[in-house]
Amino acid sequence: MTKILSSTSFLKEAVDLLRLAKQQVVKQINSTMTYTYFELGRLIVEEQQKGEDRAEYGKSLLKNLSETLTNEFGKGFSVDNLENMRRFYLTYKNSETLSRKSEYPISETPSRIFRLSWSHYLKLMRIDDEYERKFYEIESEKNSWSVRELNRQYDSALYARLALSRDKNHIKKLSNEGLIPQKPIDIIKDPYILEFIGLSESSTYSENELEQGIINKLEHFLLELGTGFTFAARQKRISFDDKHFYIDLVFYNRLLQCFVLIDLKIGELKHQDLGQMQMYVNYYDREVKLKNENKTIGIVLCQNKSEAVVKYTLPENNEQIFASKYQTILPSKEDLAQLINEIN
């Protein structure tokens, strides 16, 4: 029996080793190809700048280059893709990373400069605002976002939702470091976008159905919550004086080192909802959290909220209880435009 277990452990270790090696090879190939596309973009830009009639010369240059590279290497070098490489170079040529690393030979640079796939950069370089583009680049790498998840986070206006609660200096910090929670307000979004649950904005549904939808798509919800969250409990019961109360969702944030309690409310936020959350937070602070952990955070997620209710229910120096709206559909173009205008 011992030999069998040992053999099983040995086989698993061997498989994991090769799987990790394969992942590293894929990453290296992606980095090398992305850097190569950047260099091709540089060659195109520099060659186009030599032409007397840049527009006409540029068109013929890309067409001839496309034919040559396609004959030599096959697919992937259409005129449109070469134009993407040109745009890629123009977008990233002045970045700090590139200016520091550009003196290195090609064999030494890729993994240090471009850590995402070409498909990621095709999306990123279409984001005009430099701060916003850098933010999504950092978050994609830090959280290992797929291209699909990058698109989803961009479509849900993550950067805009975070930037609304920050001043200009903190917005710049977002673009340089990504989201690094240091205090409770740093993890709060308003609104939260829960389109992945599949509930229509106009449909009638219960709080239980909303909760079940979140649990069914827990991985997506954790991505929406942000960095450092782990799931702890659902319908967590707390009891005192022969009474039982149930907290909808309990999470723990490893970066802030504190519990995060979430209550789900359908319709308009009431002052009783905030009072109930205050009770939950007080209980966790006094009965559950350890001495070395930070104070518990409570978030009431509701469809609608009155800022006046929040203002006059919670103390002025409040750093523990928050109310945020949620949406079950992605923001419309009009909503996105309004968010951007509010930032600027």
Side-chain angles (χ1 to χ4, degrees):
M1 184 68 177
T2 304
K3 288 184 178 180
I4 294 176
L5 290 175
S6 177
S7 176
T8 301
S9 175
F10 164 73
L11 292 174
K12 183 180 183 302
E13 188 174 350
V15 169
D16 290 344
L17 180 64
L18 289 174
R19 183 177 288 123
L20 178 61
K22 184 177 180 180
Q23 291 172 351
Q24 293 300 323
V25 168
V26 170
K27 285 183 180 179
Q28 187 63 39
I29 291 173
N30 281 336
S31 296
T32 301
M33 291 308 301
T34 304
Y35 181 76
T36 302
Y37 292 159
F38 174 82
E39 285 296 297
L40 273 173
R42 178 183 62 79
L43 291 176
I44 292 168
V45 169
E46 291 178 354
E47 183 63 26
Q48 284 178 332
Q49 289 174 346
K50 297 176 183 177
E52 295 180 4
D53 185 337
R54 293 185 184 180
E56 290 302 317
Y57 182 72
K59 290 180 182 178
S60 62
L61 171 67
L62 291 181
K63 183 178 178 181
N64 292 336
L65 182 59
S66 173
E67 292 175 355
T68 300
L69 295 180
T70 300
N71 289 334
E72 183 73 23
F73 300 104
K75 295 180 180 179
F77 299 99
S78 65
V79 171
D80 287 343
N81 211 18
L82 291 174
E83 178 58 40
N84 284 332
M85 296 173 198
R86 174 184 175 278
R87 186 183 306 155
F88 182 45
Y89 170 75
L90 291 174
T91 302
Y92 283 91
K93 67 175 182 176
N94 293 323
S95 72
E96 279 188 25
T97 306
L98 285 172
S99 64
R100 291 199 306 267
K101 308 289 186 181
S102 58
E103 71 272 13
Y104 289 95
I106 188 170
S107 61
E108 296 183 15
T109 47
S111 62
R112 305 190 199 188
I113 298 176
F114 301 117
R115 297 181 178 90
L116 300 174
S117 72
W118 175 239
S119 297
H120 282 86
Y121 288 108
L122 285 175
K123 173 66 178 181
L124 289 167
M125 66 184 175
R126 285 171 171 76
I127 301 175
D128 293 331
D129 184 89
E130 182 183 2
Y131 290 165
E132 185 176 11
R133 182 173 62 249
K134 288 169 65 179
F135 167 79
Y136 283 112
E137 183 178 4
I138 292 170
E139 289 296 303
S140 292
E141 180 188 345
K142 185 168 63 176
N143 297 300
S144 300
W145 285 350
S146 65
V147 175
R148 181 177 181 180
E149 184 59 30
L150 168 58
N151 282 320
R152 187 260 160 191
Q153 294 287 0
Y154 178 78
D155 290 343
S156 71
L158 173 62
Y159 176 78
R161 288 183 286 142
L162 290 171
L164 280 175
S165 61
R166 290 157 171 79
D167 58 30
K168 295 294 183 182
N169 290 331
H170 283 87
I171 292 176
K172 187 173 182 180
K173 193 173 182 180
L174 272 179
S175 72
N176 290 329
E177 301 177 3
L179 178 59
I180 302 177
Q182 296 177 327
K183 53 186 183 296
I185 189 63
D186 291 340
I187 68 169
I188 304 301
K189 301 187 182 94
D190 193 12
Y192 286 82
I193 308 298
L194 311 180
E195 92 295 342
F196 49 83
I197 295 175
L199 295 174
S200 170
E201 190 81 346
S202 59
S203 67
T204 57
Y205 49 86
S206 66
E207 291 172 1
N208 287 339
E209 288 172 320
L210 176 61
E211 179 186 321
Q212 186 61 52
I214 289 174
I215 294 298
N216 290 344
K217 299 285 187 178
L218 186 58
E219 183 179 355
H220 293 78
F221 188 62
L222 286 169
L223 286 170
E224 174 63 15
L225 286 177
T227 305
F229 279 91
T230 57
F231 178 64
R234 172 191 185 186
Q235 288 297 308
K236 177 66 176 178
R237 189 178 81 172
I238 59 176
S239 303
F240 46 85
D241 292 341
D242 297 325
K243 295 180 181 179
H244 305 300
F245 303 89
Y246 297 87
I247 306 169
D248 290 338
L249 300 168
V250 179
F251 295 86
Y252 191 83
N253 189 280
R254 294 178 294 106
L255 300 180
L256 292 180
Q257 294 189 321
C258 68
F259 286 99
V260 179
L261 315 180
I262 296 180
D263 236 11
L264 306 171
K265 299 298 177 183
I266 303 299
E268 188 78 27
L269 176 74
K270 301 178 178 63
H271 71 275
Q272 294 96 325
D273 300 328
L274 297 172
Q276 179 175 264
M277 178 55 74
Q278 183 69 69
M279 179 182 67
Y280 293 163
V281 164
N282 289 343
Y283 180 90
Y284 255 72
D285 278 349
R286 298 169 190 176
E287 305 295 336
V288 180
K289 88 174 187 69
L290 302 177
K291 290 183 179 180
N292 63 323
E293 293 177 326
N294 292 313
K295 290 184 177 181
T296 304
I297 298 171
I299 305 173
V300 181
L301 277 184
C302 55
Q303 284 178 304
N304 298 292
K305 72 170 183 177
S306 164
E307 295 296 343
V309 169
V310 175
K311 177 180 179 180
Y312 294 114
T313 302
L314 299 176
E316 291 184 1
N317 59 348
N318 166 62
E319 292 186 347
Q320 287 186 266
I321 311 297
F322 301 90
S324 291
K325 295 189 295 183
Y326 68 84
Q327 296 177 206
T328 56
I329 60 173
L330 288 171
S332 65
K333 291 182 179 179
E334 292 74 19
D335 291 336
L336 286 175
Q338 182 177 348
L339 285 172
I340 293 170
N341 288 334
E342 288 180 23
I343 296 172
N344 298 328

